[in-house]
Amino acid sequence: MKRTTFFNLFILGLVLVFGVTACKKKPKGLTTIPNNGMVGNPNNRQGLENTTPIPFDPNDPKYTIAPPHPEDWENRPKDREKFAANTVHFDLDSSTVKSSESSKLEAVANYFKSNPAGDLLIEGHCDERGTEGYNLSLGDKRASALREYLVNLGVSPDRIHTLSLGEAQPAATGQDESAWSKNRRGEFIFVEPAK
């Protein structure tokens, strides 16, 4: 009796295995790849075995990173007070330069057009509302909008650098519009000429 039950279960298992594999659908519409997927002529594969790697010399100038240029603006002294009165303020969630702020930008542009020495760093700032990523992006848009405005006024774009600080450096503390409006700003920092 046990032998018959075992034999019946074995036969049932075989039927199920063959039934499932026999019902498997074959994909239709396949594109055949010539030469069994090999690129080029399968009868002419010479030269691939003898390929030598390209030599790498770490002392070769083309593989070395040049040191920073001596006039790199990041390493030069900065004067945050020179244009402190020209700080531009923005509306909530906006990078549009208001017409009421245009005189500040004109004063900065006039200085740089008449003084060939030094560069300008524009920092974009936000209030604390919004995510860190959103505020960094908005700060970048504000700094870029001010840069574009100055370039349109005739300042060389090579002399203007931008940096977004998001909400990292508030000008005012507080949880109200009075503080937030002071933090939504673009600041101009004079970068001293290289010595």
Side-chain angles (χ1 to χ4, degrees):
M1 177 92 170
K2 285 185 177 181
R3 193 177 280 182
T4 310
T5 305
F6 176 75
F7 182 73
N8 288 340
L9 286 174
F10 178 74
I11 296 295
L12 180 63
L14 284 175
V15 169
L16 286 173
V17 168
F18 287 120
V20 168
T21 56
C23 293
K24 185 177 177 183
K25 292 184 178 180
K26 292 183 180 178
K28 295 180 181 179
L30 294 178
T31 304
T32 57
I33 301 174
N35 301 330
N36 294 325
M38 297 176 71
V39 178
N41 184 349
N43 299 322
N44 185 13
R45 306 299 288 172
Q46 66 185 14
L48 294 178
E49 309 83 32
N50 300 325
T51 306
T52 56
I54 297 171
F56 171 73
D57 179 6
N59 296 320
D60 188 337
K62 66 182 173 190
Y63 296 117
T64 58
I65 298 173
H69 192 274
E71 293 196 7
D72 183 8
W73 68 272
E74 292 176 329
N75 300 323
R76 292 168 22 206
K78 296 169 186 65
D79 182 354
R80 300 187 73 85
E81 298 302 316
K82 186 178 214 66
F83 299 112
N86 301 89
T87 298
V88 172
H89 293 89
F90 293 88
D91 289 331
L92 177 65
D93 293 330
S94 174
S95 60
T96 303
V97 178
K98 299 184 281 189
S99 60
S100 60
E101 303 289 294
S102 62
S103 62
K104 296 175 182 179
L105 287 153
E106 289 168 6
V108 172
N110 289 336
Y111 177 86
F112 279 96
K113 288 191 291 185
S114 61
N115 293 287
D119 290 336
L120 180 66
L121 171 62
I122 303 174
E123 291 180 346
H125 297 267
C126 301
D127 63 37
E128 66 195 40
R129 297 172 292 177
T131 65
E132 182 179 354
Y134 175 81
N135 286 338
L136 283 171
S137 175
L138 182 57
D140 183 56
K141 289 177 184 174
R142 288 174 175 167
S144 296
L146 294 173
R147 180 181 189 275
E148 183 179 344
Y149 200 106
L150 290 171
V151 168
N152 288 334
L153 289 175
V155 180
S156 170
D158 296 338
R159 298 179 68 192
I160 308 172
H161 313 280
T162 61
L163 176 67
S164 174
L165 293 173
E167 61 189 77
Q169 293 182 4
T173 57
Q175 301 292 313
D176 57 8
E177 183 56 31
S178 173
W180 292 330
S181 65
K182 292 176 184 150
N183 294 332
R184 298 189 301 261
R185 70 198 190 279
E187 292 187 1
F188 303 105
I189 294 93
F190 181 71
V191 181
E192 302 282 346
K195 300 200 181 207

